[in-house]
Amino acid sequence: MTRISQNLQAVQIAIAQAALAASRHPDSIRLLAVSKTFGPAAVLEAVRAGQMAFGENYLQEALDKMAVVSAALQQGQNQLPLPEWHFIGPIQSNKTRLIAEHFDWVHTVEREKIAHRLSEQRPHHLAPLNICLQVNISGENSKSGAAPEDVGVLVQAVAGLPRLRLRGLMAIPEPASDFDSQRHSLRRLRQLFEDLNAQGCALDTLSMGMSADMAAAIAEGATIVRVGSAIFGQRNYEA
Ligand SMILES: *Cc1c(COP(=O)(O)O)cnc(C)c1O
């Protein structure tokens, strides 16, 4: 077994344990493998170990990697299906077309203007683009994400766009080292999600939890956990 496949197995076991501790079914949580800064070989190794969804933050890096991964999988005799790609980085408005053309999901929509562009630019031969709205649950300490009080209006706007499928909410909380304070900040996203659904929104996705706070996120209802270093190892940004 390779190191990446061992790590994937360990993360899947940790997800199952956290789910059981929260009286949830392990299948209600999807693992998004965050492959930023790791090359196509690492992604292919994870695909061969059964991992089918990958998260990327940097557009050009992602496009280069996708091309190599798709070519390798289509060449192979073993007919592995192509993985699903999720964009989880900050979005510049001049990059929306390439995101709309190449990704299956976008987790980091925080403005109506970006949502409009993604909907207009989503190619018609592809299924609607799955969207999570990024919410700033940590106050002024983090600049990314819509303010919680603005999310209701954003939900209404995005839900009406024809080429998008609004799935849910995403957050990156301030780092906290202990389980209880991790849960405390993640609970704010869950509460917002439940409030919106009580008002009639049909959201099915809570994208929260990374390598360091995955168990707390699952305890608070995460349906997608975004895990990088626990699968691929430490990132080296200089490389
Ligand atoms: C890098 C990143 C992750 C994964 O972080 P790890 O700590 O390596 O698990 C998850 N979500 C987002 C938005 C990221 O940028």
Side-chain angles (χ1 to χ4, degrees):
M1 247 171 104
T2 67
R3 185 179 55 85
I4 288 174
S5 65
Q6 281 173 341
N7 289 346
L8 271 168
Q9 199 173 67
V11 169
Q12 290 289 8
I13 289 169
I15 290 173
Q17 285 171 340
L20 292 178
S23 304
R24 299 181 56 195
H25 197 289
D27 291 348
S28 65
I29 299 133
R30 289 188 72 197
L31 174 59
L32 181 65
V34 177
S35 42
K36 65 179 175 216
T37 79
F38 294 95
V43 171
L44 285 166
E45 210 174 306
V47 170
R48 292 193 187 100
Q51 177 62 31
M52 285 310 300
F54 293 87
E56 290 284 341
N57 296 55
Y58 311 108
L59 182 61
Q60 193 54 52
E61 178 198 331
L63 297 178
D64 294 346
K65 201 179 301 183
M66 286 172 181
V68 177
V69 167
S70 304
L73 292 174
Q74 279 159 355
Q75 255 167 29
Q77 246 97 33
N78 41 359
Q79 302 285 318
L80 285 169
L82 294 180
E84 202 175 81
W85 295 95
H86 295 227
F87 192 79
I88 62 171
I91 306 171
Q92 294 166 284
S93 56
N94 62 343
K95 301 289 169 58
T96 51
R97 181 176 299 280
L98 285 167
I99 293 173
E101 288 172 352
H102 291 275
F103 284 83
D104 302 294
W105 284 70
V106 178
H107 291 231
T108 41
V109 172
E110 56 176 33
R111 288 188 289 146
E112 212 178 309
K113 178 187 163 194
I114 295 289
H116 274 277
R117 292 176 65 95
L118 289 170
S119 181
E120 277 166 16
Q121 294 168 343
R122 179 69 167 171
H124 280 274
H125 68 278
L126 297 177
L129 185 58
N130 294 292
I131 299 291
C132 290
L133 302 177
Q134 186 175 355
V135 184
N136 179 356
I137 54 171
S138 300
E140 62 264 33
N141 294 314
S142 140
K143 289 183 193 73
S144 290
E149 59 272 24
D150 296 338
V151 173
V153 171
L154 193 54
V155 162
Q156 294 312 319
V158 173
L161 294 173
R163 300 293 296 143
L164 304 184
R165 181 169 170 212
L166 179 62
R167 301 296 297 265
L169 306 180
M170 176 272 205
I172 309 171
E174 272 182 281
S177 52
D178 69 286
F179 187 78
D180 288 334
S181 41
Q182 289 174 349
R183 277 192 72 161
H184 184 78
S185 62
L186 294 162
R187 193 167 301 147
R188 304 179 62 180
L189 194 69
R190 178 202 196 135
Q191 192 63 58
L192 189 57
F193 175 83
E194 287 177 355
D195 291 349
L196 290 165
N197 277 342
Q199 291 161 28
C201 302
L203 305 179
D204 65 8
T205 301
L206 257 180
S207 167
M208 59 186 194
M210 322 206 303
S211 297
D213 62 355
M214 190 179 82
I218 290 169
E220 288 300 332
T223 65
I224 296 183
V225 290
R226 309 178 309 265
V227 178
S229 48
I231 297 169
F232 296 107
Q234 285 288 105
R235 283 182 290 275
N236 178 359
Y237 285 97
E238 275 94 315

